[in-house]
Amino acid sequence: MTKSLAIALGGGGARGIAHIAVLEVLDEMGVRPTAIAGTSAGAMIGAAYAGGMSGRDIRRHVIALAHNRSEVLRRLVAARAGSFASLFSGGFGSAAQVDGEKFCEHFLPAAMPDDFSALQIPLLVIASDLYRRRQVVLSSGSLRRAVAASMALPTLVRPIVIDDKVLVDGGATNPLPFDHLRDRADVVVAVDISGEPNDTRRDIPTPWEAILATILVMGQAITTEKLKHGAPDLIIRPNVGLFRTLDFFQASAILRVCESGKAEIRQRLTALLEAS
């Protein structure tokens, strides 16, 4: 008898596009997760998948946007948290910040449900309580608001308030949330898209890239410590380390890189799910 599977999708900005390739393998195998836990980019992809989209549906949606820069820029302008008038009241930062809920409205698939209760697969979205300094697990209420909280990257996306908590990116407290799935399936799989360390790069990142890369460094330390206390049954690490966290226009290239690893993922998943 085939075992049940739950999957955790980690954070990592544009590298999260690699999650799509893993979900496509599940679709090809006919495996339906019993639960999904997602942080930041993983929450976005996980929400679309839990809402009923296939991996290939999500691929088409992402590629269509990545190949239309003018449309992406138009949507980003529409998702700004502030107006240009806020330059004089709150400074450049508030004018340039993205409103996470508007971002989800403009960039997530229109078919995605509005509420957790309408999802086809149970979903846990991880965010971070900024002032209580701990993770928050969201699993009910507004789906877009939860995803917006999980991806509220400092300086880029405005924090979200839910239940009197000021929430920011889930990667600050739990970048790979496999620990929330241990009692939900026979097999727990985690997809880590933080990328392997690179000893050769010397290019200086932009200020925003530096902040995001620093969050990934801290996230890696958190994940390493978590693994000491109990690892998932399988960790999948797509080879996406060469891509920057804001390389969303490189969606096609990211997915091409992931194609070569699909056969191994399928083989390892099959071995786990069919083991006696």
Side-chain angles (χ1 to χ4, degrees):
M1 182 177 179
T2 302
K3 297 179 180 179
S4 59
L5 175 145
I7 189 166
L9 305 177
R15 296 170 180 174
I17 293 168
H19 289 314
I20 296 171
V22 178
L23 298 178
E24 287 176 335
V25 172
L26 294 183
D27 291 340
E28 292 162 7
M29 295 175 64
V31 174
R32 182 183 176 87
T34 59
I36 300 171
T39 295
S40 197
M44 294 182 70
I45 299 293
Y49 194 70
M53 296 182 72
S54 68
R56 188 157 294 278
D57 290 337
I58 301 172
R59 174 191 286 260
R60 292 193 187 102
H61 177 79
V62 169
I63 293 298
L65 281 174
H67 289 180
N68 192 340
R69 287 175 179 260
S70 60
E71 178 61 17
V72 168
L73 293 175
R74 185 192 69 77
R75 296 188 191 199
L76 281 174
V77 169
R80 278 188 300 116
S83 64
F84 288 111
S86 63
L87 279 168
F88 302 99
S89 58
F92 177 75
S94 60
Q97 268 192 330
V98 168
D99 181 309
E101 289 186 77
K102 289 182 181 178
F103 181 90
C104 289
E105 177 185 344
H106 288 286
F107 283 93
L108 288 176
M112 201 180 81
D114 293 326
D115 197 275
F116 277 90
S117 61
L119 293 174
Q120 297 181 17
I121 300 172
L123 175 69
L124 306 174
V125 171
I126 310 301
S128 301
D129 187 324
L130 183 62
Y131 296 117
R132 294 178 178 86
R133 301 179 185 177
R134 62 192 183 198
Q135 66 175 306
V136 174
V137 182
L138 303 168
S139 59
S140 62
S142 170
L143 182 59
R144 285 182 171 83
R145 180 170 292 182
V147 172
S150 186
M151 53 159 278
L153 289 162
T155 75
L156 286 179
V157 183
R158 187 170 64 183
I160 300 291
V161 178
I162 298 178
D163 295 333
D164 206 31
K165 299 180 182 71
V166 179
L167 303 180
V168 295
D169 192 274
T173 51
N174 196 345
L176 192 60
F178 58 83
D179 46 314
H180 292 290
L181 299 173
R182 290 192 176 112
D183 298 326
R184 291 176 173 264
D186 301 318
V187 173
V188 175
V189 175
V191 186
D192 180 1
I193 44 107
S194 59
E196 294 295 326
N198 192 307
D199 294 329
T200 61
R201 288 186 69 166
R202 298 292 185 270
D203 53 307
I204 303 299
T206 66
W208 279 349
E209 283 284 359
I211 290 172
L212 299 180
T214 301
I215 291 173
L216 287 180
V217 171
M218 294 188 294
Q220 188 66 52
I222 294 170
T223 299
T224 299
E225 191 62 31
K226 282 174 55 183
L227 290 172
K228 295 178 182 178
H229 302 282
D233 298 287
L234 174 63
I235 300 181
I236 299 171
R237 292 189 169 99
N239 186 25
V240 292
L242 290 177
F243 297 97
R244 293 183 183 272
T245 49
L246 293 179
D247 275 346
F248 292 101
F249 290 120
Q250 297 296 318
S252 294
I254 292 171
L255 289 169
R256 278 197 302 271
V257 166
C258 294
E259 282 299 314
S260 61
K262 278 186 169 183
E264 182 183 355
I265 294 171
R266 184 183 185 110
Q267 183 180 22
R268 296 175 71 181
L269 286 175
T270 299
L272 279 172
L273 295 174
E274 295 182 356
S276 59

